[in-house]
Amino acid sequence: MSDRIYTAGLVIIGDEILSGRTHDKNIAQIATWLQVQGIRLAEVRVVPDVIARIVEAVNALREANDYLFTTGGIGPTHDDITVDAVAEALGVPVIVHPEAKAMLERYYKSIDKELTEARLRMARVPEGAELIPNRMSGAPGIKIGNMHLMAGVPHITAGMLDALTGTLEGGAPLLSETIGCWTPESEVSEILREVEKAHENCQIGSYPFFREGRVGANFVIRSTDRDALNSCVDTLCEALGEEGLDFTPGGI
Amino acid sequence: MSDRIYTAGLVIIGDEILSGRTHDKNIAQIATWLQVQGIRLAEVRVVPDVIARIVEAVNALREANDYLFTTGGIGPTHDDITVDAVAEALGVPVIVHPEAKAMLERYYKSIDKELTEARLRMARVPEGAELIPNRMSGAPGIKIGNMHLMAGVPHITAGMLDALTGTLEGGAPLLSETIGCWTPESEVSEILREVEKAHENCQIGSYPFFREGRVGANFVIRSTDRDALNSCVDTLCEALGEEGLDFTPGGI
């Protein structure tokens, strides 16, 4: 396992997210999956179904990160333009992938339907691409260079992530521990700052909440180093205890 | 009401979203609120708690849009760096806002607490800023230029949006109608394409789903023109009917 940090960018393509109609579930799903692969999600952009805007986001994030993922826009309808946008970003033509076409033929035959012109759209890929299997519906995701083009419907995205599990090189996973405390975070901000400063391989995030009529906060300590993480957790618990505060390891 | 389209960018600041720990609720909440104001959400970026990354995203989206919103990073702890980042993006110093300080003094007095140095951090603003009232906790949001810096906790964000309701100039709201159909979208993609082409002021989005063991799709027609929208809906319903498909106005 190397010390190098691997990062990914995510481009979510879809007017339905920007209109507020659909609540995004893919950011959290992909972020959680990436953590397990030892890859950090470094930035997400949500862009509309407009080729130029997709090209811009894809080019910015594929160059800045080890990996790029996209969700949305790879279906059979006229608003599915991700393949065209990525081909444009790479300066390559769009082709029909023979294996994808064969997969779609088998799939539609198995459910006694025809492979229409519209369905064949789902076999279009930027030239040079490989396929990402999709157990859910026969229409594959697409891998080209450091990019992974996936479906927007979360359970289909999940199937594609499953197919990619263990195939991407990552680094040490980012470990985290949470400590919850029924205190306004402003009461303990000095403690948090000092404990973080004393543990240079750890970051502490403070996430306030309001529940059951009371305020509290969860403090999340993150590190790739298990020993540093444990030491930071111990120091923080000790400091909170000295203030007479009730804290809950594992979070509230 | 003008024909001009007003757009907004949104920068979500927070390691907790990028780690997958917290599921974002602000994209949908803000997108929905903006629709009502006659403003379109044109792009969202989720960036980590790193000044340079926040500056880059803020500068890109404030210049490309009529409005910019940020969520997260305006609390009292060491990881709250949004004010510093926005001040850097604008090239102005950070100052303590006298009115924000007075608000915090009143608030903490009312709950019998002291205004500590940490809490006073929440009165820091980029020079030239105004305040956005926050009924929930006393700590205000911040308005500077075309930017609105809001809390990350969704119910506090909601209070700040409420305070801004009706204060931003917008255009004609984007209207939408949904038609649901128990059909694979690939069966009707040609219809969707043709109906959209015949109604130039309308966009049709197709959003497939898998429920109750069957596949279907919702078709969302969007337009700022009520007559064009109605005509497009009628044409699409007629075309679906001619195919012998069962469709449900209002969506499934």
Side-chain angles (χ1 to χ4, degrees), chain B residues 171-217:
Chain B
L174 191 62
L175 308 170
S176 75
E177 295 284 348
T178 302
I179 297 165
C181 200
W182 289 105
T183 181
E185 56 174 1
S186 60
E187 297 269 335
V188 295
S189 56
E190 206 39 54
I191 292 177
L192 298 176
R193 183 194 303 274
E194 277 170 18
V195 173
E196 188 186 76
K197 208 186 284 173
H199 294 83
E200 61 177 30
N201 296 320
C202 299
Q203 294 84 46
I204 305 180
S206 172
Y207 307 113
F209 58 77
F210 177 68
R211 282 182 220 156
E212 306 167 27
R214 298 159 70 198
V215 298

Side-chain angles (χ1 to χ4, degrees), chain A residues 55-75:
Chain A
V55 169
E56 184 195 341
V58 159
N59 276 336
L61 296 193
R62 78 186 170 96
E63 282 159 18
N65 296 286
D66 296 298
Y67 303 104
L68 175 76
F69 293 79
T70 70
T71 62
I74 61 166

Side-chain angles (χ1 to χ4, degrees), chain A residues 156-245:
Chain A
I156 301 184
T157 321
M160 292 178 179
L161 289 175
D162 190 43
L164 288 172
T165 296
T167 68
L168 304 181
E169 183 171 353
L174 191 63
L175 308 170
S176 75
E177 295 284 347
T178 302
I179 297 165
C181 199
W182 289 105
T183 181
E185 56 174 1
S186 60
E187 296 270 335
V188 295
S189 56
E190 205 40 54
I191 291 176
L192 298 176
R193 183 194 303 274
E194 278 170 17
V195 173
E196 187 185 76
K197 207 186 287 172
H199 294 82
E200 62 178 28
N201 296 320
C202 299
Q203 294 83 47
I204 305 180
S206 173
Y207 307 113
F209 58 78
F210 178 66
R211 282 183 219 155
E212 305 165 27
R214 298 159 70 199
V215 297
N218 281 305
F219 311 123
V220 178
I221 304 107
R222 297 190 182 93
S223 180
T224 53
D225 179 335
R226 169 51 69 185
D227 291 338
L229 182 66
N230 289 347
S231 156
C232 186
V233 167
D234 291 346
T235 308
L236 180 56
C237 288
E238 204 172 302
L240 294 171
E242 276 170 15
E243 290 293 307
L245 294 166

